[in-house]
Amino acid sequence: MAREMILVLDFGGQYNQLIARRVRENNVYCEVHTALSIEKIRELNPVGIILTGGPQSVYKTDSLLPPVEIFNLGVPILGICYGAQAMAKILGGEVKSAQISEYGKTEVEILSESKLFADVEKKSVAWMSHTDRIFSAPENFIVTASTKDCPIAAMEDATKNFYAVQFHPEVVHTAEGMKIFSNFVNICGCRRDWKMSSFVKDTVAGLKNKIGGGKVLCALSGGVDSSVAAVLLSKAVGKNLTCVFVDHGLLRKNEAAEVEQVFSHFDLNFIKIDAGERFLNKLRGVIEPERKRKIIGEEFIRVFEEISKEIGAVDYLVQGTIYPDVIESGLGKSAVIKSHHNVGGLPDFVDFKEIIEPLRLLFKDEVRQAGRELGLPENLVNRQPFPGPGLGIRIIGEITAKKIKIVQESDAIFREEVAKGGIQNDLSQYFAALTNMRSVGVMGDGRTYDFAIALRAVLTSDFMTAESAQIPWEILNIVANRIVNEVKGVNRVLYDCTSKPPATIEFE
């Protein structure tokens, strides 16, 4: 039986990958693509299509629009925000700049019966983010929802299974968003039989077929993503896989030894490279965040190239890139938030036949689930997320050996006290970062002028949006006291209570 798939056509909105996540939460496989031809869409043979949001205006000459022919494929189509406007324009409706823009939470009222809004509250809160809107619906469409400032907040042609919503059901701020996606999956007639076990099985089979007898080098950081990628590849190619762990000197306290110990239990070709001085020399004097990321990304690749020459010809480089990395590094016409060292931070020339990223379309929680399917131990599957550039993006300004030690010691204290407080499983990610701010303090009746450490802890399910965690004050108080007393060079501890957006989880 062929695998059913819903196709998401991406038009550049920052959180369009959440749409894929919502579909997968309904146990339906989903792929995200940009600017596909109608021939490619037919080849993919989707059971449904979702048109995403985006930053453009559909009435401008350079706007990106879906192929007109998708509306003749006979499959259900859901347009969201820009996607709704694209549907309206192509099918004969009118889209113009709105006199009043809508941003944030807005009350939406359902106006008529609709399969898309089955069991949805007649009035509920939804997330709006638009400066244009649909002023007139295409022929045979009826208006199914409205807001105070947007008379056509949703419309449909139920006979053709075309549906459009101006709001964003994919974000958590839309109260009935999950019901809407579930209803669309039902409209598409999906079997809901896609599971992570299927992904693992299909991916291993696909990698075997693709790589054959080729040699593979895996960039192993010891984090969840690269660990799952490594085990996936080991299942596919066995001893043709060599895992290289680069200690770039920007790891957490004692982390290099811990990683080496964990992977000594796996049947892998494991090589550890001590490259701390090399990376530090490359980063000396660099303060701009994107330059840091790109330097670290390029140096990673150069180390891997050198190792590949030592161990013999290597055809493929494997990385644990996951979907949030791809999106934040820029997809299609999406904005670049920050280049991830394993995506936008890669150099122009890479001396490998191909880079393989088996987790590229998975979210963090899906990666953890894949790890369980592969038999990874729970302590590794639930390992704290750690960025590839490491402490390099948790140190604001120039990176020095002294600053690295300050962050390592402060972060170790924070993690230790969180564990003592028994709240580590309640937090999605938590760490200490070194600000570039120095301030006056008093210690032992003397004046100090030292750095401020910032603590960060967030709650999130997908790492694309996140809320600041409310850590008990008694724990924060202990952490702050320990850091200023035990870590030389710090006289102030701050707590970051900013959500994502507008901030990102990491500092740089």
Side-chain angles (χ1 to χ4, degrees):
M1 185 182 294
R3 179 176 66 185
E4 60 189 9
M5 184 263 286
I6 288 179
L7 171 65
V8 176
L9 286 180
D10 176 27
F11 296 100
Q14 258 329 307
Y15 299 102
N16 292 338
Q17 75 290 344
L18 289 177
I19 296 171
R21 176 180 170 77
R22 301 304 174 227
V23 173
R24 291 184 200 170
E25 286 172 347
N26 284 279
N27 293 330
V28 178
Y29 181 67
C30 181
E31 288 187 12
V32 182
H33 292 275
T34 59
L36 288 182
S37 66
I38 189 60
E39 290 77 21
K40 180 61 177 176
I41 293 172
R42 287 196 180 103
E43 183 183 321
L44 290 170
N45 193 30
V47 297
I49 297 174
I50 300 177
L51 311 177
T52 76
Q56 299 176 295
S57 294
V58 298
Y59 47 78
K60 292 188 176 178
T61 55
D62 62 346
S63 62
L64 186 64
L65 295 172
V68 177
E69 296 89 345
I70 65 169
F71 296 100
N72 297 322
L73 292 177
V75 301
I77 299 176
L78 171 63
I80 296 174
C81 196
Y82 179 89
Q85 296 165 11
M87 180 185 293
K89 177 175 172 56
I90 289 172
L91 297 179
E94 184 181 25
V95 179
K96 296 191 298 186
S97 177
Q99 293 179 335
I100 301 176
S101 301
E102 283 183 301
Y103 293 100
K105 294 180 180 179
T106 306
E107 185 178 79
V108 172
E109 181 178 3
I110 307 301
L111 303 176
S112 63
E113 293 295 320
S114 167
K115 289 181 182 178
L116 189 67
F117 298 135
D119 297 323
V120 170
E121 294 290 333
K122 295 301 180 186
K123 289 186 178 181
S124 63
V125 172
W127 187 261
M128 283 284 197
S129 179
H130 67 100
T131 54
D132 298 332
R133 67 175 177 85
I134 301 167
F135 274 74
S136 65
E139 187 178 356
N140 298 324
F141 274 70
I142 63 168
V143 177
T144 53
S146 67
T147 71
K148 175 173 164 288
D149 296 311
C150 184
I152 306 180
M155 64 177 191
E156 68 179 50
D157 180 347
T159 61
K160 293 183 178 178
N161 280 328
F162 295 159
Y163 302 87
V165 294
Q166 182 60 65
F167 54 89
H168 288 268
E170 69 271 25
V171 300
V172 295
H173 309 294
T174 297
E176 300 284 69
M178 277 305 299
K179 286 184 185 176
I180 292 170
F181 278 104
S182 179
N183 289 336
F184 183 69
V185 165
N186 288 337
I187 291 167
C188 293
C190 295
R191 298 186 300 270
R192 297 176 182 256
D193 58 359
W194 184 76
K195 298 178 175 63
M196 190 50 63
S197 56
S198 305
F199 169 83
V200 169
K201 181 181 176 182
D202 292 347
T203 301
V204 169
L207 289 168
K208 279 183 180 178
N209 183 59
K210 180 185 186 69
I211 296 168
K215 299 289 186 181
V216 184
L217 192 65
C218 180
L220 181 63
S221 72
V224 179
D225 307 331
S226 65
S227 298
V228 172
V231 178
L232 267 174
L233 264 296
S234 72
K235 298 277 188 187
V237 302
K239 286 294 187 179
N240 280 347
L241 170 68
T242 298
C243 291
V244 178
F245 171 54
V246 178
D247 180 0
H248 51 23
L250 299 167
L251 298 171
R252 289 169 287 205
K253 186 177 180 179
N254 300 327
E255 188 157 31
E258 290 172 5
V259 169
E260 193 166 12
Q261 195 258 340
V262 166
F263 278 90
S264 66
H265 300 296
F266 289 93
D267 186 24
L268 299 169
N269 295 319
F270 181 88
I271 298 174
K272 178 175 177 285
I273 306 296
D274 294 308
E277 281 299 315
R278 173 174 178 167
F279 277 78
L280 197 56
N281 288 335
K282 288 283 185 180
L283 291 164
R284 188 164 284 118
V286 178
I287 62 173
E288 205 277 316
E290 278 293 286
R291 276 201 66 207
K292 285 185 194 177
R293 286 175 172 272
K294 290 183 180 295
I295 287 169
I296 293 169
E298 176 160 358
E299 206 58 24
F300 263 113
I301 292 294
R302 299 307 169 222
V303 172
F304 296 140
E305 288 174 345
E306 291 166 16
I307 294 301
S308 71
K309 288 180 173 63
E310 290 178 17
I311 65 177
V314 173
D315 303 294
Y316 300 94
L317 172 67
V318 174
Q319 295 189 144
T321 307
I322 66 173
Y323 206 23
D325 301 339
V326 176
I327 296 301
E328 290 190 338
S329 297
L331 175 65
K333 292 195 175 184
S334 302
V336 175
I337 299 174
K338 52 190 179 184
S339 294
H340 288 259
H341 80 287
N342 50 353
V343 189
L346 290 176
D348 293 332
F349 174 74
V350 179
D351 192 15
F352 294 99
K353 181 178 178 181
E354 189 176 336
I355 293 177
I356 294 177
E357 298 167 319
L359 309 176
R360 189 179 178 86
L361 290 180
L362 294 190
F363 298 94
K364 179 69 75 174
D365 59 324
E366 292 177 321
V367 174
R368 295 189 197 281
Q369 195 178 341
R372 294 185 183 98
E373 291 289 338
L374 289 162
L376 286 169
E378 199 64 27
N379 65 327
L380 182 58
V381 169
N382 283 322
R383 191 178 181 88
Q384 265 286 297
F386 192 61
L391 301 182
I393 57 174
R394 292 180 182 173
I395 296 173
I396 310 300
E398 183 182 7
I399 298 169
T400 65
K402 177 184 176 181
K403 288 181 178 180
I404 293 171
K405 185 170 178 58
I406 287 174
V407 181
Q408 286 176 331
E409 296 297 332
S410 300
D411 183 73
I413 290 169
F414 188 26
R415 287 187 288 129
E416 183 181 327
E417 293 301 332
V418 164
K420 283 182 182 177
I423 63 170
Q424 68 272 28
N425 293 331
D426 300 329
L427 306 175
S428 303
Q429 188 170 354
Y430 52 99
F431 58 88
L434 181 63
T435 72
N436 206 27
M437 180 186 82
R438 301 181 76 175
S439 62
V440 174
V442 178
M443 285 187 181
D445 297 324
R447 177 186 185 274
T448 62
Y449 189 65
D450 287 327
F451 286 109
I453 280 284
L455 304 178
R456 180 123 167 94
V458 297
L459 306 175
T460 178
S461 61
D462 50 40
F463 288 84
M464 292 311 304
T465 60
E467 294 182 2
S468 176
Q470 296 185 29
I471 291 182
W473 176 251
E474 55 268 27
I475 294 177
L476 287 177
N477 194 36
I478 292 170
V479 173
N481 285 335
R482 282 194 61 191
I483 289 175
V484 296
N485 281 291
E486 297 176 29
V487 183
K488 188 176 180 180
V490 178
N491 67 0
R492 194 177 297 266
V493 177
L494 313 172
Y495 187 70
D496 183 351
C497 57
T498 321
S499 64
K500 173 186 180 179
T504 55
I505 293 175
E506 296 293 342
F507 275 63
E508 290 193 335

